[in-house]
Amino acid sequence: MHSATLSSTAVPRQGLRQQRLLASKQHIALTRMSRKTGGSRIGLMCMTSSHDVSQGQASSSPSSATLLSRRREILATIAMSVSVGAFGLGSLPCEASVLDGLKEYKRDSNAKFLVGPIRLVRQRMFNVLTLTEGSSPQYGEAQEALRKASLDCLEPAVGLQGFAKVRDVCTLSIVYKSVTKGPAAKHDPDSAEYKEATASLIALGSGLHNLDDLLVAGAAGSAEAGNQFKATFISTMASLDRYELAVQKCIGYEPSLDRKI
């Protein structure tokens, strides 16, 4: 009778060791997979949890169900504590949070290359204004600074002049195409986002060309050009702001000039 008791308790203990070994192996695999995916363990947690649930449903042993439940709690704690911060998200449902997190991460990454150039134009434009102020405006230098500020939209850089004959090299135009026709975002030509992006880019391009013409005239000695420059500069900067907001809207942001990129 004593040997029978030992035999009956040995089976659950052996099953317990096997469950613990399986949990350890899955945890190691989870860690390795998370490194390959850049630390995103939320999706792995979802897959592990759903796998454990299916095993738990198939098992009729109370001890096995308890172990499975405990393992899910441990894996969930590890996954959420390590990886939720990577997306800047709170505790959200698995599938929805993973997709939303990836979309937001992609959008924020794209914004550096889409909104960033527009803000660079704005920064350089103030250098242009500085060169036109004072008792001795430097129109020639201002014109050179303006063309540099336009990011190859007024005149391609020397290294891009040959390339510009076969395709568009204007950075502002490239951004426009990316947020309206893809790959950053796609919008129907009849949509409000598409129309606003188009109109704002046209207004910005017109303003930049008007400023360039005024600087050429100013360098040639036209006093009237100097008087008109500041007003044209202000309206062009307004068009630049409008264009940035349109681009933000196209990629899914709530438009704001104060948004951190």
Side-chain angles (χ1 to χ4, degrees):
M1 181 177 182
H2 180 65
S3 61
T5 302
L6 289 175
S7 177
S8 64
T9 57
V11 174
R13 289 179 180 177
Q14 184 178 7
L16 179 60
R17 286 195 296 270
Q18 292 176 344
Q19 291 289 345
R20 288 177 176 174
L21 180 59
L22 177 61
S24 177
K25 289 181 177 179
Q26 289 191 349
H27 175 62
I28 293 172
L30 179 69
T31 302
R32 290 175 177 174
M33 291 177 68
S34 68
R35 290 172 180 170
K36 293 181 180 179
T37 55
S40 175
R41 296 191 182 182
I42 301 178
L44 296 177
M45 180 191 70
C46 295
M47 292 186 291
T48 304
S49 298
S50 61
H51 175 69
D52 290 345
V53 169
S54 64
Q55 286 188 342
Q57 290 175 343
S59 174
S60 59
S61 171
S63 61
S64 297
T66 301
L67 287 170
L68 290 173
S69 177
R70 179 56 180 161
R71 187 177 64 195
R72 287 197 300 271
E73 292 177 5
I74 293 172
L75 293 176
T77 301
I78 294 172
M80 294 304 292
S81 63
V82 173
S83 58
V84 168
F87 286 110
L89 300 172
S91 179
L92 298 171
C94 282
E95 294 182 3
S97 66
V98 172
L99 293 176
D100 291 344
L102 289 174
K103 287 179 180 178
E104 290 182 10
Y105 178 79
K106 181 178 180 181
R107 181 186 63 186
D108 292 343
S109 298
N110 285 340
K112 298 180 186 299
F113 302 98
L114 300 171
V115 180
I118 302 173
R119 294 189 172 180
L120 177 61
V121 173
R122 183 181 292 109
Q123 178 183 341
R124 291 180 176 180
M125 287 292 288
F126 286 108
N127 295 334
V128 176
L129 180 63
T130 301
L131 290 169
T132 64
E133 294 179 328
S135 57
S136 301
Q138 303 174 51
Y139 292 119
E141 292 182 14
Q143 184 182 23
E144 183 180 344
L146 176 65
R147 292 178 178 179
K148 181 179 179 181
S150 73
L151 300 181
D152 303 304
C153 293
L154 286 175
E155 182 178 81
V158 175
L160 294 175
Q161 288 178 356
F163 194 57
K165 295 178 180 179
V166 294
R167 66 179 303 170
D168 190 359
V169 297
C170 170
T171 301
L172 297 174
S173 179
I174 293 171
V175 168
Y176 163 78
K177 292 174 183 176
S178 182
V179 301
T180 56
K181 302 177 182 180
K186 291 184 179 181
H187 294 279
D188 189 275
D190 291 329
S191 67
E193 291 86 354
Y194 192 103
K195 290 180 178 179
E196 176 60 15
T198 303
S200 60
L201 178 61
I202 291 174
L204 176 56
S206 178
L208 290 172
H209 280 92
N210 289 338
L211 288 175
D212 190 58
D213 291 341
L214 289 172
L215 289 175
V216 171
S222 172
E224 186 64 23
N227 295 333
Q228 295 177 359
F229 184 84
K230 191 166 186 178
T232 305
F233 179 88
I234 292 173
S235 65
T236 302
M237 293 299 286
S239 297
L240 182 65
D241 291 345
R242 179 186 175 188
Y243 182 57
E244 178 183 335
L245 295 175
V247 169
Q248 288 189 25
K249 184 70 173 178
C250 282
I251 60 177
Y253 280 132
E254 185 65 30
S256 172
L257 296 176
D258 295 326
R259 178 174 297 282
K260 292 182 178 180
I261 300 298

